[in-house]
Amino acid sequence: MIQLKEVSKIYKMGQEKVRALDHVDMCIAEGEYVSITGPSGSGKSTIMNIIGCLDTADTGSYILDGISIEEYSENDLARIRNHKIGFIFQNFNLLYKLTAEENVELPLIYQRVKAAERKRRVKEALEQVELSHRIRHKPAELSGGQQQRVAIARALVTKPSLFLADEPTGNLDSKTGEEIMKLFHELHLAGNTIVLITHDPKIADEAERKIAMRDGKAREVVSW
């Protein structure tokens, strides 16, 4: 599903150049559960942005589902982000004026899904994360764990082929984090591909495979 070949990314910080990624090779097959781990500044976020089609590499190639990203137009990339990838972020990225139900519905509105189908899929997604009893509540009325469940439901509702999670337990206490990780295991058992970005070794260890980042380089962790 995901293949990075010799991917490099350099950012300019004033007069200085920072090599965020240094000739990274990476393969992730459909249905895998992979964690990408490493300290702050190791290149994790840059890898996430490239895999999620939020940014592009300076050199090297990114092949998604057998097609090089370079062959896609901006409209194609927007469609990939909206249909193929379910994003889950540390800060939840919910709209605070909208209810849980409305937040989950939003990507379906962008996809121009009909109202009756939207309602059915939103209900199904919120039930899957065990939050159907809080659908009328706005984010400020929900706990951090509940907000993350809404964010996961929002990712689920578009039926993506890839879930891309960036520090999904970073703002949660340990018990709530464990509950969220259980949800990811359930998603994986259902056949979904999951790429989990984390600095926490314990969270990273829950994946099938672990890729360690350091100084912009990636290496497979064979056993841990």
Side-chain angles (χ1 to χ4, degrees), residues 90-105:
Q90 177 178 353
N91 294 323
F92 321 131
N93 287 12
L94 301 176
L95 296 181
Y96 278 73
K97 291 185 178 181
L98 302 183
T99 64
E101 182 179 43
E102 290 166 340
N103 267 285
V104 175
E105 182 184 26

Side-chain angles (χ1 to χ4, degrees), residues 204-219:
D205 285 350
E206 296 201 27
E208 280 183 324
R209 287 173 57 208
K210 185 163 73 170
I211 295 170
M213 298 286 304
R214 185 171 290 276
D215 299 327
K217 296 181 180 292
R219 66 176 179 86

Side-chain angles (χ1 to χ4, degrees), residues 2 6 12 19 29 36 46 59 69 71 78 93 101 107 120 126 143 147 169 177 185 197 205 208 213 215 219:
I2 293 167
E6 292 284 308
K12 288 185 178 179
R19 186 175 288 273
I36 300 175
T46 306
T59 61
I69 286 298
E71 297 183 26
N93 287 12
E101 182 179 43
R120 184 190 68 77
L126 285 166
S143 68
Q147 288 183 58
T169 62
H185 282 293
I197 313 293
D205 285 350
E208 280 183 324
M213 298 286 304
D215 299 327
R219 66 176 179 86

Side-chain angles (χ1 to χ4, degrees), residues 81-124:
R81 290 190 293 267
N82 199 18
H83 290 260
K84 190 183 289 288
I85 304 172
F87 292 95
I88 301 160
F89 297 99
Q90 177 178 353
N91 294 323
F92 321 131
N93 287 12
L94 301 176
L95 296 181
Y96 278 73
K97 291 185 178 181
L98 302 183
T99 64
E101 182 179 43
E102 290 166 340
N103 267 285
V104 175
E105 182 184 26
L106 201 56
L108 297 181
I109 293 174
Y110 292 144
Q111 290 184 1
R112 298 181 180 178
V113 175
K114 291 182 178 179
E117 175 68 4
R118 291 202 308 266
K119 185 175 181 180
R120 184 190 68 77
R121 286 167 63 174
V122 168
K123 181 175 181 290
E124 183 180 89

Side-chain angles (χ1 to χ4, degrees), residues 2 17 30 33 46 67 96 127 134 138-139 146 148 160 199 210:
I2 293 167
K17 289 184 178 180
E30 186 174 354
Y33 184 179
T46 306
I67 300 175
Y96 278 73
E127 285 175 350
R134 304 301 295 271
K138 294 181 179 179
Q146 289 171 334
Q148 191 60 291
H199 72 279
K210 185 163 73 170

